[in-house]
């Protein structure tokens, strides 16, 4: 028995060593799976873009199309708009910043990171979602201030949609009661959808495009356009870019091709 | 088999144990129940998922090996020697356990970006936004667990045994390899399991340091995050279930083979 354990332990350790060696022998950057060969191999440097997680689908498709057209790979890293801003601030590198809303680009611009802004590629429109059948009978945004509701709201600092919708709440003077009704803030509108689907709240705020995949399980209550604040989804190039021409070229491409693709994924592109 | 004679006191222990087991089973069951088979099958066929599985396994194993390489000497020093400020240093090494992974990630980003970035770039060893970053983040999060468990394993060894070996003519290295390590084996293997488990599920620090890039820094937890963000709940749940099963199988096999439980 003891021998067996020893043999197995040796095997395990040699396996680990093998992993170590193969791991160390990996080329830098992309690894395993043979996907995304290193940019040097293609003779064209790839672009690096910080993209709001909520825009994953349309931007992924656009990046792919761009690569097919120009041979330039666009590497996308996703996160919420605030975290991206932190990353870009810390690293001082990258070529394109595309958060979920204008305030983040403006914040980056104030700090001198932004070279050029194109947009709006699409609009982000806050909407109210409720579980199927709307059990809490919410018909307008003012209803969210009703006492005794349980709301799931995207974070007002970290997410673009949260930032926007709180401006509406401020305008209507219901911020305080909404905050009372929100036991928690989540870090992305998609999390709001998940929470509402799992019956964790009477209503939540998401971006219009978050709803199109789950229309059979959710009810959507549009916010009256008289009070709703609709934000632009811009795309910007960064001053840190060491290939500004290529980055600007991508921006042009986004301006031209972007809206149609965004529309396909349920975003509003016209006001 | 030990014959069980249960008195009142052990009865309470058994009750708690059984309740927790049921809780865990129900929790896993809920995840399985909530998922749909169709999504499950489409996930298994998805190349992005294949990439994530392979990538997660090799990064987490590599991170575990590196964590062990650091934790053996650190655990040994902390166990055998007393020096000024030891408590503080011990606490310092626990920092990654205490900090939210996001903060750890930010700290690593600052270290490997503005501080060391240019040097590493010149060496062609860029860490930020790369697969290397994933390993570094996992290693950083997993190491304190390894150090803690290794230290406890070394603590449990009677130093006199080591001294006897010295008097019988072993060099310090000999003593370590032929007396200390074999005696500490159980704890060390338990620590390795803990470290690996922690590396496997790592998300927060990885997202900050290595970024969330499809097919490049996409571990299973990152894949789950990405699919949650686009409202693809089913894909996320299916991935989570598979991740859970893989972890469960690997951990069980490891524990049976090495005859260790995780001791913390």
């Amino acid at each position: 028995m003891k021998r067996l354990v020893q043999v197995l332990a040796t095997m395990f350790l040699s396996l680990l060593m093998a992993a170590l060696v193969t791991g160390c022998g990996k080329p830098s950057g992309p690894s395993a799976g043979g996907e995304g060969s290193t940019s040097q191999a293609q003779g064209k440097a790839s672009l690096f873009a910080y993209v709001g997680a909520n825009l994953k689908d349309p931007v992924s498709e656009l990046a792919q199309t761009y690569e097919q057209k120009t041979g330039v790979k666009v590497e996308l890293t996703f996160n919420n708009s605030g975290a991206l801003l932190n990353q870009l601030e810390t690293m001082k590198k990258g070529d394109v910043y595309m958060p979920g809303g204008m305030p983040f680009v403006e914040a980056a611009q104030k700090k001198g990171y932004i070279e050029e802004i194109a947009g709006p590629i699409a609009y982000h429109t806050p909407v109210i979602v409720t579980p199927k059948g709307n059990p809490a009978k919410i018909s307008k945004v003012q209803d969210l201030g009703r006492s005794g509701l349980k709301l799931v709201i995207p974070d007002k600092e970290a997410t673009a949609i949260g930032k926007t919708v709180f401006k509406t709440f401020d305008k209507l003077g219901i911020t305080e009661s909404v905050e009372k009704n929100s036991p928690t803030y989540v870090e992305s509108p998609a999390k709001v959808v998940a929470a509402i689907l799992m019956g964790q709240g009477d209503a939540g705020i998401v971006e219009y495009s978050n709803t199109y995949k789950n229309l059979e399980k959710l009810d959507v209550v549009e916010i009256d356009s008289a009070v709703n604040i609709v934000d632009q989804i811009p795309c910007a190039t960064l001053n840190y870019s060491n290939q500004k021409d290529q980055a600007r070229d991508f921006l042009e491409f986004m301006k031209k091709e972007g809206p149609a693709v965004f529309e396909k994924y349920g975003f509003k592109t016209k006001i | 088999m030990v014959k069980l004679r249960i008195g009142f006191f052990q009865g309470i222990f058994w009750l708690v144990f059984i309740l927790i087991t049921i809780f865990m089973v129900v929790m896993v069951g809920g995840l399985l129940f909530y998922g749909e088979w169709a999504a499950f099958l489409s996930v298994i066929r998805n190349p992005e998922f294949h990439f994530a599985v392979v990538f997660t396994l090799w990064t987490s194993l590599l991170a575990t090996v590196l964590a062990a390489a650091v934790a053996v000497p650190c655990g040994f020093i902390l166990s055998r020697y007393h020096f000024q400020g030891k408590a503080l240093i011990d606490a310092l090494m626990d920092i990654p356990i205490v900090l939210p992974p996001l903060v750890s990630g930010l700290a690593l980003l600052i270290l490997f970006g503005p501080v060391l970035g240019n040097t590493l770039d010149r060496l062609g060893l860029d860490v930020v936004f790369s697969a290397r970053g994933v390993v570094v983040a996992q290693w950083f999060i997993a190491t304190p667990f390894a150090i803690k468990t290794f230290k406890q394993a070394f603590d449990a060894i009677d130093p006199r045994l080591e001294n006897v070996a010295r008097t019988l003519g072993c060099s310090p290295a000999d003593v370590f390899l032929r007396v200390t390590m074999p005696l500490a084996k159980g704890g060390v293997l338990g620590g390795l399991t803990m470290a690996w488990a922690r590396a496997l599920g790592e998300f927060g620090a990885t997202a900050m340091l290595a970024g969330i890039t499809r097919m490049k820094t996409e571990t299973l937890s990152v894949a789950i995050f990405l699919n949650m963000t686009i409202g693809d709940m089913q894909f996320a749940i299916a991935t989570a279930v598979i991740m859970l099963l893989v972890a469960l199988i690997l951990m069980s096999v490891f524990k049976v083979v090495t005859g260790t439980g995780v001791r913390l």
Side-chain angles (χ1 to χ4, degrees):
Chain A
M1 184 62 214
K2 214 169 151 196
R3 281 305 306 273
L4 180 73
V5 167
Q6 269 181 346
V7 168
L8 283 165
T10 323
M11 270 169 60
F12 179 72
L13 275 173
S14 45
L15 218 147
L16 279 181
M17 287 316 288
L20 183 69
V21 173
T22 50
C24 282
K26 293 253 183 263
S28 74
S31 58
E35 272 285 326
S37 57
T38 43
S39 46
Q40 287 85 3
Q42 301 163 347
K44 280 197 175 179
S46 56
L47 290 168
F48 191 89
Y50 303 88
V51 185
N54 220 19
L55 317 179
K56 177 188 173 232
D57 279 354
V59 178
S60 298
E61 181 177 322
L62 284 158
Q64 229 166 1
T65 314
Y66 186 75
E67 191 182 350
Q68 281 158 6
K69 257 171 81 163
T70 60
V72 176
K73 190 172 172 57
V74 186
E75 253 177 34
L76 310 170
T77 188
F78 301 100
N79 214 318
N80 67 34
S81 305
L84 293 172
L85 191 56
N86 281 333
Q87 280 179 316
L88 130 87
E89 212 162 328
T90 314
M91 285 311 297
K92 307 213 180 322
K93 72 176 194 195
D95 307 294
V96 177
Y97 181 42
M98 192 166 181
M102 208 61 192
F104 287 97
V105 169
E106 281 161 2
Q109 199 176 18
K110 270 204 195 81
K111 295 178 173 169
Y113 305 153
I114 301 290
E115 197 213 8
E116 191 183 327
I117 303 175
I121 310 295
Y123 292 95
H124 89 206
T125 320
V127 292
I128 301 167
V129 283
T130 69
K132 200 77 204 159
N134 194 350
K137 298 280 172 284
I138 286 154
S139 58
K140 55 187 188 297
V141 69
Q142 285 84 344
D143 293 350
L144 298 180
R146 251 186 4 220
S147 64
L149 284 180
K150 198 171 157 209
L151 305 178
V152 190
I153 310 270
D155 192 274
K156 70 167 163 190
E157 297 302 333
T159 65
I161 205 81
K163 255 190 204 287
T164 315
V165 80
F166 266 91
K167 284 184 195 153
T168 304
F169 294 157
D170 287 346
K171 208 159 65 172
L172 296 168
I174 56 170
T175 306
E176 213 168 300
S177 39
V178 165
E179 280 176 344
K180 252 194 218 114
N181 288 343
S182 312
T184 173
Y185 298 101
V186 292
E187 70 274 30
S188 73
K191 278 258 170 78
V192 177
V193 172
I196 297 290
L197 283 177
M198 291 182 183
Q200 293 307 303
D202 301 314
I205 295 282
V206 296
E207 206 283 315
Y208 185 73
S209 63
N210 293 116
T211 59
Y212 90 112
K213 269 191 188 164
N214 290 304
L215 281 175
E216 69 283 0
K217 297 178 197 157
L218 293 170
D219 278 0
V220 178
V221 181
E222 299 228 9
I223 299 173
D224 181 10
S225 56
V227 292
N228 201 12
I229 296 170
V230 173
D231 195 12
Q232 303 179 356
I233 298 176
C235 187
T237 55
L238 297 170
N239 269 328
Y240 301 122
S241 173
N242 43 21
Q243 32 187 350
K244 288 196 172 128
D245 291 345
Q246 197 64 59
R248 270 197 294 268
D249 183 63
F250 179 69
L251 213 58
E252 281 306 308
F253 168 82
M254 281 300 270
K255 250 196 290 205
K256 219 167 61 213
E257 311 284 334
V261 178
F262 268 79
E263 203 152 318
K264 197 170 91 183
Y265 286 101
F267 284 82
K268 290 190 175 181
T269 52
K270 300 177 197 67
I271 293 192
Chain B
M1 258 323 273
V2 186
K3 205 160 173 270
L4 293 172
R5 293 210 350 263
I6 301 180
F8 173 72
F9 184 70
Q10 281 100 337
I12 291 180
F13 277 25
W14 272 105
L15 184 70
V16 172
F17 180 73
I18 288 165
L19 283 177
I20 285 293
T21 309
I22 290 171
F23 175 79
M24 286 295 185
V25 169
V26 169
M27 196 182 74
V28 174
L31 205 56
L32 282 167
F33 180 76
Y34 212 90
E36 289 163 13
W37 266 110
F40 213 75
L41 293 173
S42 75
V43 167
I44 289 181
R45 279 197 289 266
N46 184 323
E48 191 176 327
F49 175 75
H50 296 172
F51 172 86
V53 170
V54 173
F55 183 71
T56 309
L57 283 177
W58 83 253
T59 48
S60 61
L61 278 174
L62 183 56
T64 310
V65 171
L66 295 173
V70 170
V72 167
C74 291
F76 190 75
I77 299 268
L78 284 172
S79 168
R80 289 286 180 274
Y81 297 95
H82 291 280
F83 45 86
Q84 279 287 308
K86 181 177 156 183
L88 186 68
I89 291 177
D90 198 356
L92 196 68
M93 296 204 170
D94 287 346
I95 275 191
I97 297 180
V98 182
L99 283 184
L102 245 164
V103 180
S104 296
L106 192 59
L108 289 169
L109 188 69
I110 291 167
L111 177 67
F112 287 103
V115 182
L116 296 174
N118 291 339
T119 322
L120 288 168
D121 266 350
R122 267 201 300 278
L123 297 170
L125 289 172
D126 54 312
V127 168
V128 177
F129 303 141
S130 73
R132 259 191 220 93
V134 175
V135 177
V136 170
Q138 291 175 340
W139 166 83
F140 182 75
I141 299 289
T143 298
F145 289 98
I147 292 178
K148 264 189 140 38
T149 38
F150 289 11
K151 174 182 178 293
Q152 279 165 353
F154 295 139
D155 279 344
I157 297 167
D158 188 346
R160 277 179 302 186
L161 294 170
E162 291 169 347
N163 295 336
V164 168
R166 286 301 307 269
T167 56
L168 294 172
C170 283
S171 71
D174 264 348
V175 174
F176 185 77
L177 289 174
R178 292 167 63 176
V179 178
T180 315
M181 271 324 254
L183 285 170
K185 199 178 71 187
V188 165
L189 288 172
L192 280 177
T193 322
M194 270 301 292
W196 178 71
R198 196 59 199 79
L200 191 74
E202 207 330 279
F203 171 72
T206 311
M208 210 61 204
L209 180 67
I212 299 176
T213 305
R214 274 194 66 233
M215 305 295 269
K216 182 179 171 185
T217 60
E218 188 169 14
T219 60
L220 282 168
S221 4
V222 166
I224 292 168
F225 167 84
L226 273 179
N227 291 298
M228 281 290 278
T229 56
I230 54 165
D232 200 340
M233 278 278 288
Q234 283 304 330
F235 189 103
I237 290 174
T239 314
V241 167
I242 293 166
M243 187 170 172
L244 221 140
L245 292 178
V246 168
L248 208 62
I249 290 165
L250 285 174
M251 296 277 254
S252 309
V253 167
F254 187 76
K255 282 179 192 186
V256 169
V257 163
T258 58
T260 52
V262 177
R263 280 176 290 198
L264 249 187

